[in-house]
Amino acid sequence: MTLSLDRLERRLGYTFQDPDLMLLALTHRSFAGRNNERLEFLGDAILNFIIGEALYEHFPQAREGQLSRLRAKLVKGETLALLARSFELGDYLRLGSGELKSGGFRRESILADAMEALIGGIYLDAGMDAAKERVMAWLGPQLRELTPVDTNKDPKTRLQEFLQARACELPRYEVVAIEGEPHCRVFFVECEIAMLSEKTTGQGASRRIAEQIAASAALIALGVENGHE
């Protein structure tokens, strides 16, 4: 590591009072016996708390399971590694020769661990308020773009769970037309639910796809989703 840490501090938006803490946060276990693993452990706990508190306040109607999924999305290794790359953090890591040769400065797990270690270092350096301010500056924009809806589930499942949570009748799907030759048919489906005055429609190469599209249209009509997921 030959680059000045001042540049990294400017990118992070934080200047360490104790430079040794920053250096430790950037030290991988392959480099030295005293490394960033303990700081990473601390930073992981602090990050989960800060994001958990922010989600609790930002989504007052969200259930525990929804909050847990949202938090996992924000604190997962991929998200932290992307953040680290935006700071060009890999250029500042202290790695052993083996990790350097194998490209450890680009490895997602190493970058994510270093970000957590930096959060732990900021906490020890200046306290929880400083750590929270930086975490929210880094991840706040992503948090505000999230929705409590579990987009990992398909539209039919999301619609069914939405209606069940409100003790409403389940949706009814009906194939209203099938067009095209047997090898390239198009299915037209209508979705009817009591909460909407009009049926929603969907079309696709199979009945299942058409039903999913109709369910997605129903979620948008209900105002549950905005159509930009």
Side-chain angles (χ1 to χ4, degrees):
M1 183 178 62
T2 59
L3 297 177
S4 168
L5 293 181
D6 293 342
R7 183 185 300 177
L8 178 57
E9 287 183 326
R10 288 194 296 272
R11 289 172 174 163
L12 294 173
Y14 180 81
T15 301
F16 278 82
Q17 301 172 53
D18 181 357
D20 288 341
L21 277 172
M22 185 180 191
L23 206 58
L24 183 61
L26 298 170
T27 303
H28 187 255
R29 65 176 177 270
S30 64
F31 183 86
R34 190 165 184 264
N35 56 65
N36 64 8
E37 287 184 326
R38 283 170 54 82
L39 277 180
E40 174 208 335
F41 168 80
L42 181 61
D44 175 67
I46 293 166
L47 175 63
N48 274 275
F49 171 76
I50 292 171
I51 294 300
E53 181 186 48
L55 290 169
Y56 181 87
E57 294 175 351
H58 194 69
F59 298 108
Q61 305 303 320
R63 298 185 299 277
E64 183 271 341
Q66 292 172 314
L67 293 174
S68 294
R69 285 192 293 271
L70 293 175
R71 181 175 62 183
K73 188 172 184 178
L74 281 175
V75 305
K76 66 181 180 180
E78 180 183 353
T79 302
L80 296 178
L82 284 172
L83 184 63
R85 291 189 181 104
S86 74
F87 298 139
E88 298 182 1
L89 191 63
D91 294 341
Y92 301 87
L93 294 176
R94 300 207 296 175
L95 303 169
S97 58
E99 283 292 352
L100 279 173
K101 290 176 183 176
S102 64
F105 57 91
R106 291 190 298 265
R107 190 165 298 133
E108 181 177 290
S109 59
I110 290 178
L111 290 169
D113 289 349
M115 280 307 309
E116 290 179 337
L118 283 168
I119 293 168
I122 292 172
Y123 168 77
L124 292 179
D125 195 55
M128 180 60 83
D129 288 345
K132 181 177 179 180
E133 191 276 331
R134 281 297 84 199
V135 167
M136 293 310 299
W138 299 336
L139 296 175
Q142 291 96 308
L143 184 149
R144 288 185 286 272
E145 291 176 358
L146 293 175
T147 169
V149 176
D150 183 7
T151 53
N152 289 322
K153 295 181 180 179
D154 63 73
K156 283 186 67 176
T157 302
R158 299 202 299 271
L159 179 60
Q160 179 173 317
E161 290 182 351
F162 174 84
L163 296 172
Q164 286 177 327
R166 288 154 183 79
C168 296
E169 291 183 17
L170 295 182
R172 291 181 292 277
Y173 299 93
E174 181 183 359
V175 177
V176 294
I178 303 175
E179 298 180 358
E181 300 298 322
H183 65 281
C184 58
R185 285 182 172 174
V186 178
F187 291 76
F188 295 82
V189 167
E190 289 182 343
C191 173
E192 181 181 4
I193 59 175
M195 292 180 70
L196 292 176
S197 58
E198 295 184 1
K199 299 175 183 178
T200 59
T201 62
Q203 66 182 71
S206 69
R207 175 174 180 166
R208 183 185 66 81
I209 293 173
E211 288 179 349
Q212 297 287 11
I213 294 171
S216 181
L219 288 165
I220 294 169
L222 289 166
V224 180
E225 297 178 9
N226 59 24
H228 299 294
E229 298 299 326

